[in-house]
Amino acid sequence: MSLTAADLPASKAFYSRVLGWEYRPGFGLAEYAEAISEGEPIAGLGETGHSFGVPACWSVHFAVDSVDRAAERIRERGGTVAVGPLPFGPGRVAWAIDPAGAPFALWEGPREPHWTPRGGGRGLWIELHTRDVFAAAIFYSQALGWDTEPPERCTLRYENDQVFVDINGRTVAALHGGAVEEAPDPKVRPRWQVTFRTPHPNLAAERAAAAGGAIVSAPDDTAPGLATLLRDPEGTLFSVAAQTAEIGPEEATPHLPSDTI
């Protein structure tokens, strides 16, 4: 996960207040910060001016062996490579948009050993909100080699018009379809939604509102548990949920209903 922000110092202060994050330089770059939660790296933060024109947003980064090959497959399958591939720190990065309009990023390079898909454990949970979950599953599987390429080959499970992404028997992400078209907020478009885990999600939501952000929806059931959708002061969406035990395939629970997205 990586946040691009118009005001990096203000964003660092906001997320530190809301989630208790500390920071260190990421990749040895002064303009890129690595957020630390309970001693472990959880996300990167950079200014939009240092992110090649990418707008303020939370981006999900998918590690690939070759960003050039992945970019080619994205284009071949109806997606768009909006920025890059470009060098960044010790690797290369590209920002892309899937056929439904959801942005995401690619990373080719060294991988922080603690930045592994931990699914329902400490850290974060990601899910795609899109219009056609089955088309999305085919796109990402083919474009990123989810079910064909090592070292962390994925398994896709279809349940109740949703798709769950499993690695080594743990559910690490979900694709949720249909709800975007019914969302009452016209600003809500297909997107990858990130949920950060915290011991006190209600307190985190209160702190977000007090620090210039906003509570978008009341807590509701998601795969990682009760999650509250928030906006930071720059309008970037994210969720907070309580820390729980890791989620296995049999433990996945319903996602946010369409009227609260």
Side-chain angles (χ1 to χ4, degrees), residues 56-68:
C57 65
W58 275 108
S59 297
V60 177
H61 290 246
F62 296 107
V64 293
D65 293 331
S66 170
V67 69
D68 295 295

Side-chain angles (χ1 to χ4, degrees), residues 71-114:
E72 181 179 355
R73 291 188 299 213
I74 287 168
R75 295 188 186 99
E76 289 174 348
R77 289 158 179 81
T80 301
V81 179
V83 180
L86 294 170
F88 186 78
R92 301 175 72 228
V93 67
W95 281 268
I97 303 171
D98 72 18
F104 63 100
L106 306 172
W107 169 255
E108 173 193 335
R111 305 175 190 179
E112 164 65 54
H114 292 290

